[in-house]
Amino acid sequence: MSTNELRSPTCPMAPPASSPRLPWPALLALSTAGFVTLMTEALPAGVLPAMSTDLGVSQTGAGQSVTLYAVGSIAAAIPLTAATAGWPRKRLLLLAVGGFAAANTVTAVSGNYPLTMAARFTAGLVAGLLWALLAGYARSIVAPEQRGRAMAVAMSGSTVALSVGVPAGTALAGAAGWRVAFGLMSMIALALVGWIAVSVPAVPGRDEHDRPPLRKVLRIPGVAAVLGVTAAFVLAHNLLYTYVAALLEPLNLEGRTDTVLLVLGLSSLVSILATGALIDRHLRTLTLAACGLLAFAGTVLATALLTSASWPVYGAATVWGFGFGGAATLLQTAVADAAGTAADLAQSLLVTCWNLGIAAAAFAGGLLLDHTGPNSLPWSALALLALALTVTATARHHGFPTRR
């Protein structure tokens, strides 16, 4: 298969271009799958003390439940997506959501630390597959001119989880116990299996000749540029997000971390709505704006740390959310547009870059914090965002074209 064939915008799974309305029940089911994925990933962070006590380990040991989830996602995204490329998409989606129900059930009832960690690793494996599946599925059930909006709807579940779900789940865990919170996630996943079975249309897998090897996907013009922007953007965001409490401590706002994150989450919701309305016509402009807004927020935070002024932080969090909220949708749409019929495998590459960015930020940010202090985090993020802006601006023919 030639590179031109790989870049062809014609997709055998796409419906006729005359589809007048978005399939809302199906897209909202996909969005809920994203919600379950992110909630399953992030929930342990809010319940570590109780979780560690119940499992008889330190909080650091309980925290490895997040690490193993991320490791599973990184390990699974590319090989599982390639191995299941020929499977019917709906069957694969049902199996993935069912996997979350099973993994969260084991987590909720297990009193054995190794078993709990195995369940978390399994959940990560399922997540790596599901993230790569969601974007392609959403694009395949709408007309070509609706693909950006469909992606925005399908990816909105992760933003809702970040802004509302995680705080609510943490509150529920505090009131009823962390096992109840994981049990509820299992129930939501089981209900979602039924919802998907009823409302999501069946989509076939790809024929063997439509499954290019990984090396060919990486050589498709534009794919490497989008992956590079993804890595730089996610690393910059997570340098700030992972260590936001440490950033706020010198400003005497360590007790307001939840409020700052709520502001960021709510503005992220506004961002995803705006992205859905504009992405099909202005993907390049929106991506440049996302990088620029996050850079502006980083500059405000850096200045606040230099001047010990706490009042700009909430404005910075608002701008930060505007920049970050639609980023996943923008980058996944860009890599799918660039890859054409190889979109699913390209999505798995993007998911891997995303999770590697999260892991690298936790490691590099910890080193920076220990050796140079919190002031270095915003400046490091700004350097990465300058790289992301430069690559986006120069990829005007492929990756982030001026005309789609």
Side-chain angles (χ1 to χ4, degrees), residues 7-317:
R7 287 183 47 79
S8 170
T10 303
C11 175
M13 299 189 297
S18 59
S19 301
R21 299 175 62 184
L22 288 175
W24 284 102
L27 292 175
L28 290 175
L30 296 177
S31 177
T32 304
F35 174 87
V36 170
T37 304
L38 189 62
M39 284 293 295
T40 300
E41 176 182 9
L43 190 55
V47 299
L48 281 184
M51 193 175 183
S52 64
T53 299
D54 276 6
L55 295 175
V57 297
S58 66
Q59 289 196 42
T60 301
Q64 298 313 302
S65 62
V66 178
T67 303
L68 283 171
Y69 186 102
V71 170
S73 295
I74 293 169
I78 295 173
L80 282 187
T81 300
T84 58
W87 292 25
R89 302 288 89 184
K90 186 169 182 176
R91 181 196 305 169
L92 190 59
L93 180 62
L94 289 168
L95 285 173
V97 175
F100 275 116
N104 282 328
T105 298
V106 172
T107 303
V109 302
S110 170
N112 180 274
Y113 178 71
L115 178 60
T116 302
M117 294 302 103
R120 291 293 298 171
F121 180 74
T122 301
L125 293 175
V126 175
L129 176 63
L130 187 61
W131 276 128
L133 176 64
L134 282 180
Y137 213 128
R139 289 167 64 88
S140 72
I141 60 176
V142 298
E145 67 273 12
Q146 296 175 317
R147 288 174 180 166
R149 290 181 62 203
M151 285 268 293
V153 174
M155 299 310 299
S156 65
S158 59
T159 306
V160 173
L162 175 69
S163 59
V164 179
V166 173
T170 302
L172 174 64
W178 68 273
R179 296 184 184 277
V180 173
F182 275 100
L184 179 60
M185 293 310 303
S186 295
M187 294 174 62
I188 293 173
L190 285 173
L192 180 58
V193 168
W195 184 0
I196 291 170
V198 171
S199 65
V200 177
V203 173
R206 295 196 178 277
D207 294 334
E208 188 172 352
H209 70 274
D210 278 334
R211 294 182 239 162
L214 185 63
R215 64 182 183 276
K216 287 192 176 182
V217 178
L218 287 169
R219 289 204 299 264
I220 298 172
V223 169
V226 178
L227 295 178
V229 171
T230 299
F233 186 93
V234 173
L235 183 53
H237 164 75
N238 281 281
L239 279 175
L240 302 176
Y241 189 84
T242 304
Y243 296 100
V244 64
L247 287 170
L248 297 178
E249 186 174 355
L251 302 174
N252 297 316
L253 291 174
E254 59 270 25
R256 298 300 183 97
T257 301
D258 55 348
T259 305
V260 171
L261 292 180
L262 178 62
V263 170
L264 189 157
L266 292 176
S267 62
S268 294
L269 286 177
V270 176
S271 175
I272 197 68
L273 291 173
T275 300
L278 301 172
I279 188 172
D280 286 310
R281 290 169 293 161
H282 304 291
L283 185 145
R284 175 182 173 82
T285 301
L286 289 172
T287 306
L288 289 168
C291 295
L293 287 169
L294 191 53
F296 180 80
T299 302
V300 173
L301 289 173
T303 304
L305 288 168
L306 287 174
T307 61
S308 299
S310 60
W311 60 267
V313 168
Y314 295 102

